Each structure stands twice: as C-alpha cells, then as structure tokens.
Amino acid sequence: MLAENSSIPLPVLRSDPTAVPEKYTRLRGEQPVCPASFVTGDPAYLVTSHEDLKTVLSDERFSRGAMCAADAPRCQAVRPHPDTILNMDAPRHTHIRKLAAEAFTPRQVEKMRPRIEQIVVELLDDMAAMAPPVDLIAAFCLPFPLRIICELLGIPFEDRAKFLDTVDVIMTFNSTAAQLGQAYVDLRGYFVDLITSKRENPGDDFLTVLISRRDKKGQLTESELLSLCTILMVAGHETGVTVITNSAFNLIRHPDQLAALRADPALMPGAVEEMLRVGIPGISPYPRLATSDVKLGDVVIPKGSAVVVNYETALRDPAVFDDPDRFDIRRQPVSQVFFGHGPHFCLGSTISRVELQIGIRHLFERFPSLALAIPPEDLRWKDFATLGNFKEFPVTW
C-alpha cells in the first residue's frame, strides 16, 4: 500500500523493457484506485483493475470534454484541444463520431483487404532485399499501418517526413509546452495546406468526403475538420505500430504458439485477440475528469479530479483472465477492452484487426525463421511515449 498522502509518479519507468512494471501489477492487487501524479506534477487517480477501467471509460460522470478546461489537471504541458473528437462528450461527440465512422465500416474495411495485402507484400519484398539485422519497426511495423491510413484518408505517404517527427512530439508525455505548441501549429498547418489542395482538386478519399460534409452540408466547423483529419491520421497508425511490434515479439519468444498458428490458420482470429490483449502497454494518454464525487471501489474520487486508466494491468487482471501473464493464442477472452469501452470505443477496431491478421500472417510466412537480433533485455523502451513501444526492434532471419 502507498503511504498516506503519497502518490505514484506517472508513467512508471520500466526496468525490464519486455515486462509490465511490477509496481503497476502490485497496485492492481493492493490499491486498484490510487493517488498518482502526471509528469506535469498535476494530481490524478490511477485505475488498474479491469472492472474499474470499464466504469471510468463508460460512466458519463467521467468526462473527456471537462479535461479541456483551463483549470483541469494536465497529463501534458498544454491542455487538450476542445475540437478534437477524443476531447468531446455527447451530444457533440456523438455527431462528430458518426461522420468519422463512415470510413471504418466493416464493408469499407473488407473492400480494402486486397490493397492491405498488396502493401504488406511490397514492404516485405523491400525488407527481404535488406541485409539483416534490420529494424522491424522502421522496415515494416511503422510504414504498414501508416500507408494504409494515408491511402484511406488521402494523405500522400511521401509527405511522412513532414509530419512523423511532429507526431512523435505530440505523442510524448514529457514534451515541453514550446515543443507541443510548435508541433500542433506545424501539424495543423500541414492539414490546412492539404485541405486547400483537396478543395481545388477533390480526390476519391475520406478527407474529400469530410471536406464535402463541411463545405456543402455544414456538418463540421473548419476547426473540427482540421482536428478530425489530424486525429484520424495519428490514431490510425500509432497504436498499430506498437501492437504489430509486440505481436511479432510475443510470437518470436513463444515458438510453440507460432508453430500452432502457422499449422492452423483457423486460429488466427483468436490469436489476434490474444495479441491485442498483451499488445499495448501502460497508461491511457486520455484521462477523464470526475464531474461529481464518484465512489470507485473503496475510494471516493472528488469532483474535479483527473482519473487515468492502465490498459496493461486491466488486460492482465486475474479476476477476468485465467493465468493472465501467459500468452495463449487459444485463449477464450472473457472481455476485450483493448479498443476501449463506452462512447470512445475505437473507431478503427475493425481495420486494426484486419491489419494484424494480414500483417502477422505474411510476416512469418515470408520470414519463418525471424528472430530477435539482440537479447531481449538489450531492447530499449520509449518510457515517455504515450503508446510505449521499443525504440528499435532489430531482427534477423
């Protein structure tokens, strides 16, 4: 238990880059709702259990929109932008989400399958021409989901050098206010130019659809349009990079599970759920604000307090998952909250599952002897990245 009046500094740094920090796991068993503090020094409550996570993500008393207030606690040096869909509550959130969801319907995703397969094959062809060791993140795990979301939205993939460094700044907890301010200016500036170009030369892409919703139907403000373009691009690839890397890592270090999956492709849907369960690390970058006093477990969270959830511990909660630290592609999950829960459930969950199915299948078909080129303990973790991941993942074959 924490000493009285003490709190956990967030994020908890990793001594082992391949394991959940022991402090998080201990808190889930001893103090599942505990005082914490962000890198800004602002106070918060950390939630580590599965059921409490579901409550925080679905109970309307925990607000995302309220986190935009000038006096709200901040997990980064600048406050969230109120015109971003992730920072909205109903009914405004419901309206914007309905527009954004048009890009990610199951029908739309199925139409994209052949192109997703083609992108994977092209990237693996390029990787096969390289001399190992090769950084799997740079060669495959990053460009794969990035190319898909760029094509879906209508963002030129060759522009990636213009925005990837900016995205890294935004998706880092300890970026300074000056760094974040400049990053947001640069990223929104990029999309101002892109939207202007598409107004002059409409394309067969989703940004063109959103521009039409703005210009012809008035369903979005210009600021909402810019923010939606930005978050769809960022969210559309950042999580994918982390989960594809971690999925490859888990299959490499569990060769029996990889052999079973390759021998029986029918196991793939369940394997994807297990790869997702253990595929994303750490705390959410999107805390909520309690709009009233809320009792969570044995703790009363006072009105005005920030609350942040830990997906990593929730998805390994022994109250929900038997032998939760075991990687088992035949597991029948009792619950799957990898993509969130409640009104902000991930819009891209369908396409993310398809990316993982296709990407992992082709990766190990093309490189059946794929192996980590260094000892696991020598991997380096991105401690302050909001979605974690290794700095590099060198592989050989």
Side-chain angles (χ1 to χ4, degrees), residues 18-36:
T18 69
V20 182
E22 188 272 338
K23 183 177 288 186
Y24 282 145
T25 302
R26 189 173 71 250
L27 284 171
R28 184 188 57 213
E30 298 177 357
Q31 199 171 355
V33 181
C34 75

Side-chain angles (χ1 to χ4, degrees), residues 35 48 64 76 97 118 123 130 152 170 216-217 245 251 253 260 262 264 305 349 383 389:
T48 49
R64 274 298 300 158
Q76 283 185 300
R97 181 183 173 91
Q118 184 180 3
L123 287 171
M130 301 175 187
L152 188 153
I170 292 170
K216 296 180 180 179
K217 298 185 179 181
T245 307
L251 288 168
R253 67 174 176 173
R262 296 199 64 211
D264 184 2
S305 300
S349 60
D383 282 312
N389 210 358

Side-chain angles (χ1 to χ4, degrees), residues 28 48-50 53 310-317 321 337:
R28 184 188 57 213
T48 49
S49 77
H50 187 275
L53 173 142
N310 187 314
Y311 283 94
E312 197 169 41
T313 49
L315 287 163
R316 293 167 176 80
D317 192 334
F321 302 96
V337 294

